Amino acid sequence: MLNDLKILDTTLRDGEQTPGVLITSNEKLRIASKLDELGVDVIEAGSAITSKDEQKSIKTITENKLNAEICSFARPMKIDIDTALDCDVDSIHLVIPSSDLHIDYKLRKTREQVEEMAVNATEYAKSHGLIVELSTEDATRTGMDDLKHLYNQCIEVGADRLCACDTVGILTPERSYEFYKELAQLPQPLSVHCHNDFGLAVANTLAALNAGAQQAHVTINGLGERAGNASCEELVMAIESLYNIKTGIKTELFYEISQLVERISGVTLQSNKAIVGSNAFAHESGIHADGVLKKSETYEPIKPETVGHRRRFILGKHVGKHVIHEKIKETNTQVTDDELNRIFERVKSLSDMGKTVTDVDLQAITDDILNIDMEDSLVLQEYTTVSGNKVTPTASVKVNINNSERIEAGVGVGPVDAAIEAIRKTIKDTADITLEEYHVDAITGGTDALIDVLVKLKYNDKVITARSTEPDIIMASVEAYLKGVNKILTDEKRR
């Protein structure tokens, strides 16, 4: 594996092709700016020919003079290249179908015709000052001789980089190594572009890099068509941690950019997603948690701070006393061994009933065992909300914070969002609290179902969880949020 590895991020092109994902011009700029800060070498900003809005998005990115090379996807057609030129990109990702399957059934052309298109498009793009990365679609189902012939023809007219795409993710790591090793003998730098249909995109990309490929195509969170593309964060951390090779990527930004892409794309990450999932550094088992508390390396391959993440201990059925004791101590509360045992039994009892024990639940149990009567710091006195198809969802609240009455209003994409925004405004001078996660479940059937809302709130470097169960989703959301806020404010009082 080469030490001068290049990263091409295609979150804004291949990632946006994830079913149901649409990223606006301003959102693309936010992601591109963060990718540039992350340190990727090339940002594939989209496909300029797609639409006027896509052209505007790409042009907005190129106008911001980022450090990364800005690239547009293009077919081997003059109109695609001209449109990319109008967006002032540095390069094009010129994609040519190469397998008999694609040439015969999709293009309905001869191989000679396709090769002529590729050569003409490469020559035209180079004559207009563009960097050309020639990419063969469905390369892994293309004969090696046919691939090399196409590449060599385009190299002769100036292709700068070559890319072989495992378009439907059929490689295995062993086959990937042999495939890319053969192509790495060509005179121009080789890129690897893997899809994750069998869950092997990152493994196949690593094998290709070990075989001589010099650039990897990736997306944040592994976004992409069908099962997605090779995940940027997984690939980079494997190279840095398992191969001990520095990539130049600012890995401490991974969690932040992952969260940004998740919010903008609307594609929720699975909790056990490697590196950036909510459970990537979460521990419930008593044995594991005890080991991590003593020395993190016992059950963590890397420190969460390396990727901008944080460690969490879950209060579930497998939790041990040491974790509960640590969480109680975080609030500057002291308990005896007997009190800790009683708290532990109450937590286990709740867990055995299938309930998620939140930080607020633990606080309530602890206060009850210790006979502490701590008044809520924030009390909701009045609440109204207005919502409708022709009305911007609006909420107004009157709250009492430490005997001081405050009234605020908020707007949002829905009544829940508006209500939480109104409450957030009332406490902005007291505590800067961020809603990190919001989860809703219906726990009974029918239109009168009980709604269970779980929220995660962040304050400074600490994340706390709270929940509420009500028949009304708005009130359940407001109550869960208030419980979380009060937990944070109460902890501050105790400190």
Side-chain angles (χ1 to χ4, degrees):
M1 187 182 293
L2 298 176
N3 288 304
D4 60 347
L5 168 69
K6 300 291 188 293
I7 298 290
L8 182 150
D9 187 279
T10 182
T11 302
L12 299 179
R13 199 275 301 174
D14 224 341
E16 195 189 22
Q17 289 175 203
T18 302
V21 172
L22 177 63
I23 306 176
T24 67
S25 178
N26 288 337
E27 290 169 341
K28 279 201 169 190
L29 179 59
R30 287 178 63 195
I31 293 174
S33 298
K34 188 55 68 174
L35 286 170
D36 194 50
E37 186 182 352
L38 186 68
V40 303
D41 300 282
V42 185
I43 297 172
E44 189 173 15
S47 175
I49 195 62
T50 300
S51 67
K52 293 290 184 184
D53 188 63
E54 185 82 335
Q55 292 156 32
K56 176 187 172 185
S57 298
I58 297 172
K59 190 70 181 289
T60 300
I61 292 170
T62 58
E63 286 173 347
N64 273 266
K65 307 297 181 185
L66 303 179
N67 293 315
E69 174 188 313
I70 306 302
C71 176
S72 172
F73 176 96
R75 298 168 298 176
M77 300 173 67
K78 184 174 180 291
I79 188 172
D80 285 38
I81 299 168
D82 286 339
T83 309
L85 283 165
D86 289 340
C87 295
D88 296 327
V89 296
D90 303 303
S91 63
I92 57 168
H93 180 205
L94 186 62
V95 179
I96 318 290
S98 62
S99 68
D100 290 337
L101 183 66
H102 278 234
I103 290 173
D104 294 344
Y105 290 93
K106 189 175 80 170
L107 297 184
R108 300 187 185 278
K109 295 181 181 295
T110 66
R111 181 167 295 280
E112 290 71 27
Q113 287 174 314
V114 172
E115 289 175 346
E116 184 180 1
M117 290 169 61
V119 169
N120 290 341
T122 302
E123 199 167 27
Y124 182 76
K126 288 302 300 178
S127 70
H128 286 76
L130 288 170
I131 298 168
V132 175
E133 177 154 341
L134 180 76
S135 197
T136 48
E137 186 179 15
D138 207 25
T140 53
R141 292 191 292 189
T142 304
M144 185 58 71
D145 289 342
D146 289 331
L147 266 183
K148 286 184 174 181
H149 186 260
L150 174 58
Y151 284 140
N152 281 319
Q153 282 187 297
C154 292
I155 289 170
E156 286 180 11
V157 293
D160 300 281
R161 299 190 295 260
L162 310 173
C163 177
C165 300
D166 187 23
T167 301
V168 290
I170 60 168
L171 287 177
T172 62
E174 297 83 4
R175 288 173 57 207
S176 178
Y177 182 87
E178 294 302 323
F179 177 77
Y180 285 98
K181 184 179 181 181
E182 183 81 12
L183 293 177
Q185 308 307 314
L186 292 166
Q188 293 294 61
L190 178 66
S191 297
V192 49
H193 181 112
C194 291
H195 281 263
N196 203 39
D197 295 78
F198 289 90
L200 294 171
V202 171
N204 289 336
T205 301
L206 285 169
L209 294 173
N210 272 310
Q214 294 168 282
Q215 179 173 261
H217 287 204
V218 295
T219 61
I220 298 298
N221 295 343
L223 281 184
E225 296 181 77
R226 304 182 312 279
N229 290 46
S231 158
C232 180
E233 57 278 3
E234 293 177 24
L235 179 73
V236 169
M237 292 315 300
I239 293 170
E240 295 228 349
S241 300
L242 306 181
Y243 290 87
N244 199 29
I245 294 174
K246 293 299 179 185
T247 61
I249 296 294
K250 295 179 181 175
T251 63
E252 67 274 11
L253 297 178
F254 270 139
Y255 185 70
E256 181 183 349
I257 194 170
S258 168
Q259 294 288 292
L260 175 66
V261 170
E262 181 181 25
R263 287 195 301 271
I264 289 176
S265 69
V267 178
T268 303
L269 276 185
Q270 67 209 60
S271 58
N272 63 336
K273 167 75 168 63
I275 309 300
V276 291
S278 61
N279 284 351
F281 300 94
H283 308 275
E284 179 183 326
S285 162
I287 294 172
H288 285 212
D290 182 52
V292 168
L293 283 169
K294 291 172 179 173
K295 191 169 180 61
S296 63
E297 288 88 342
T298 52
Y299 291 102
E300 290 176 349
I302 58 174
K303 292 186 181 297
E305 297 80 12
T306 308
V307 293
H309 212 328
R310 56 188 166 270
R311 183 176 299 115
R312 293 192 302 126
F313 295 105
I314 309 301
L315 300 177
K317 65 182 289 186
H318 304 104
V319 71
K321 287 182 191 176
H322 39 274
V323 170
I324 293 176
H325 198 195
E326 285 296 318
K327 292 185 80 69
I328 292 172
K329 286 196 295 185
E330 286 176 6
T331 64
N332 283 358
T333 303
Q334 301 301 319
V335 292
T336 65
D337 288 344
D338 178 62
E339 290 166 339
L340 178 60
N341 287 333
R342 291 162 62 195
I343 294 168
F344 175 69
E345 291 303 322
R346 291 270 289 273
V347 169
K348 295 285 278 189
S349 178
L350 277 175
S351 298
D352 287 341
M353 290 190 288
K355 295 183 180 294
T356 300
V357 182
T358 67
D359 297 304
V360 172
D361 295 329
L362 177 61
Q363 188 69 67
I365 291 169
T366 303
D367 288 352
D368 184 48
I369 296 292
L370 301 182
N371 293 315
I372 296 174
D373 184 18
M374 178 66 82
E375 292 183 2
D376 285 341
S377 299
L378 185 152
V379 179
L380 182 66
Q381 294 178 313
E382 291 181 20
Y383 162 71
T384 58
T385 182
V386 179
S387 181
N389 292 334
K390 296 182 180 180
V391 178
T392 301
T394 306
S396 62
V397 297
K398 181 194 290 186
V399 300
N400 187 295
I401 304 177
N402 300 326
N403 299 317
S404 174
E405 191 176 272
R406 299 185 190 181
I407 300 174
E408 286 287 356
V411 296
V413 295
V416 171
D417 190 36
I420 288 176
E421 174 62 16
I423 296 170
R424 190 191 65 77
K425 285 183 177 180
T426 67
I427 60 169
K428 65 181 181 181
D429 296 330
T430 306
D432 184 15
I433 298 172
T434 305
L435 178 63
E436 287 277 289
E437 192 174 317
Y438 173 85
H439 186 75
V440 181
D441 279 316
I443 57 176
T444 59
T447 56
D448 60 346
L450 278 173
I451 305 299
D452 187 63
V453 174
L454 178 72
V455 298
K456 291 181 184 176
L457 305 182
K458 183 180 179 183
Y459 178 65
N460 294 332
D461 61 347
K462 185 178 180 183
V463 175
I464 69 102
T465 55
R467 73 185 303 161
S468 178
T469 304
E470 297 279 348
D472 184 305
I473 187 172
I474 302 175
M475 288 312 300
S477 303
V478 168
E479 187 173 296
Y481 187 77
L482 285 173
K483 284 180 176 179
V485 170
N486 280 326
K487 165 77 168 115
I488 290 169
L489 297 180
T490 299
D491 286 352
E492 288 304 297
K493 270 189 179 181
R494 285 178 169 154
R495 287 193 183 92

